[in-house]
Amino acid sequence: MYLTTALLCTSPLFLGAFSALLFGRRGIPSTIPTGLLFHSVLPKPGLEMSHVSLRRFERFCSMLSERQFTSLTVSGTLSADSHSSSSGNRCMLTFDDGFQSVATIAAPVLQRYNLKATVFCLGNHFGTLSQWDIFSGNTHLTKQEIRTLFNMGHEIGSHSLTHAYLPFLDTKSVRTELADSKNILEDIIGNAVTSLSFPYGGWTPAIWEIAQETGYTAATLYRGHSRAGRGLFPVYGVYQYDTPGDMLSKCTDRASFSLLRARSRMMAHFARGTPVWKYRRAYHS
Ligand SMILES: [Zn+2]
């Protein structure tokens, strides 16, 4: 009896149903490529969950290289035949928030293994301390560092102007966040910026409509994976507890359910900032 219950509770079917109930999400169609979302890579990560150690990041990159993976940027994934089932051995690496450690620590490793990433930067935070990653003292990339990353072959995408939670803004403000950040970043790199990452993973189909009207052609989805589709690519957060093997599984596992992905979704659900925004909404309503 106990054994049967235990088996039932740990079976993929049960966990899949539990995950669907908890998050209200269906599985991602296997033909849609998924990616990884990093924030910081640091030699000695602090307490922040979204920091990944340099040692693990380096090992993960070497695993991609050993297995002859091609890393695609977000716009590269879009222009490749992303809906074909032959998307094996491809990995989409992304960095949110445009932190300086991407240029100083992660980029040399990526270069060593010939990997390309998409770095999502803010439109009005350059070389300053992060206002939301407040416990770790992370600094944003300078304009010159953004230019250098672009010249190394990485894609520069937008993460909005001010890192606002877009679903709480009116249409005009959403348009400003998306259009102004795009224009500012385009001026910096002298090239089109067409990929977007929604701050805090907050988006709605109406916001994606505005983004497309503003000139974006692709976006990463940290939340709302079940609505992934053409130009909307699910990404799984990478956290301090993830081993290099976990990172590889997150971007390659085609199973409809895995504990790793469920854990990432749970982390996304309770990601930092979320309670603050929920409180603000309750406060203003
Ligand atoms: Zn962010």
Side-chain angles (χ1 to χ4, degrees):
M1 172 67 182
Y2 289 120
L3 183 65
T4 310
T5 309
L7 281 174
L8 189 65
C9 288
T10 53
S11 71
L13 190 66
F14 175 83
L15 288 169
F18 178 71
S19 176
L21 275 174
L22 188 62
F23 303 110
R25 291 166 175 149
R26 298 184 303 276
I28 299 166
S30 62
T31 50
I32 295 177
T34 58
L36 295 183
L37 165 57
F38 293 88
H39 283 88
S40 300
V41 175
L42 297 169
K44 288 184 181 171
L47 295 174
E48 184 59 67
M49 265 298 165
S50 61
H51 294 175
V52 172
S53 82
L54 173 60
R55 189 176 55 83
R56 287 190 174 192
F57 183 72
E58 178 132 31
R59 178 63 193 130
F60 167 62
C61 290
S62 77
M63 286 168 85
L64 289 180
S65 176
E66 285 158 16
R67 288 163 176 73
Q68 299 183 319
F69 269 76
T70 305
S71 60
L72 289 179
T73 58
V74 174
S75 62
T77 304
L78 183 68
S79 56
D81 186 12
S82 54
H83 280 206
S84 85
S85 54
S86 60
S87 56
N89 281 15
R90 298 197 303 192
C91 190
M92 188 168 69
L93 308 175
T94 73
F95 289 84
D96 268 14
D97 294 354
F99 288 134
Q100 214 155 32
S101 61
V102 178
T104 56
I105 299 168
V109 180
L110 292 170
Q111 190 171 29
R112 202 173 312 140
Y113 293 101
N114 197 26
L115 299 168
K116 304 298 178 209
T118 301
V119 186
F120 291 105
C121 303
L122 280 303
N124 68 355
H125 293 270
F126 303 108
T128 53
L129 271 178
S130 172
Q131 292 172 9
W132 54 95
D133 197 30
I134 51 175
F135 298 114
S136 54
N138 258 322
T139 304
H140 295 288
L141 293 157
T142 63
K143 292 180 181 180
Q144 184 53 49
E145 286 168 330
I146 292 173
R147 232 171 264 130
T148 303
L149 285 170
F150 175 72
N151 290 335
M152 290 170 78
H154 302 296
E155 180 181 9
I156 302 300
S158 166
H159 197 38
S160 83
L161 195 61
T162 66
H163 207 263
Y165 187 73
L166 301 177
F168 288 176
L169 303 184
D170 58 39
T171 302
K172 187 167 174 277
S173 303
V174 169
R175 203 175 288 277
T176 302
E177 286 281 342
L178 302 183
D180 287 7
S181 59
K182 186 177 192 300
N183 292 338
I184 291 168
L185 292 166
E186 286 178 345
D187 280 348
I188 293 171
I189 61 171
N191 201 73
V193 169
T194 55
S195 297
L196 171 69
S197 168
F198 305 102
Y200 305 105
W203 74 287
T204 63
I207 291 171
W208 176 228
E209 279 290 317
I210 297 171
Q212 289 174 290
E213 289 165 15
T214 316
Y216 293 96
T217 53
T220 53
L221 302 182
Y222 182 46
R223 298 183 192 161
H225 284 180
S226 64
R227 286 179 287 182
R230 180 75 181 161
L232 290 172
F233 301 118
V235 287
Y236 289 93
V238 180
Y239 303 103
Q240 210 174 120
Y241 55 72
D242 286 317
T243 65
D246 290 343
M247 297 175 203
L248 194 67
S249 297
K250 276 188 188 184
C251 64
T252 57
D253 188 3
R254 306 314 304 175
S256 58
F257 174 80
S258 82
L259 271 176
L260 271 174
R261 286 183 168 189
R263 194 164 59 169
S264 280
R265 285 180 175 191
M266 204 175 296
M267 285 297 292
H269 193 72
F270 296 107
R272 63 186 171 184
T274 307
V276 177
W277 290 110
K278 283 183 176 167
Y279 170 77
R280 267 191 70 170
R281 179 162 59 176
Y283 183 79
H284 285 295
S285 60

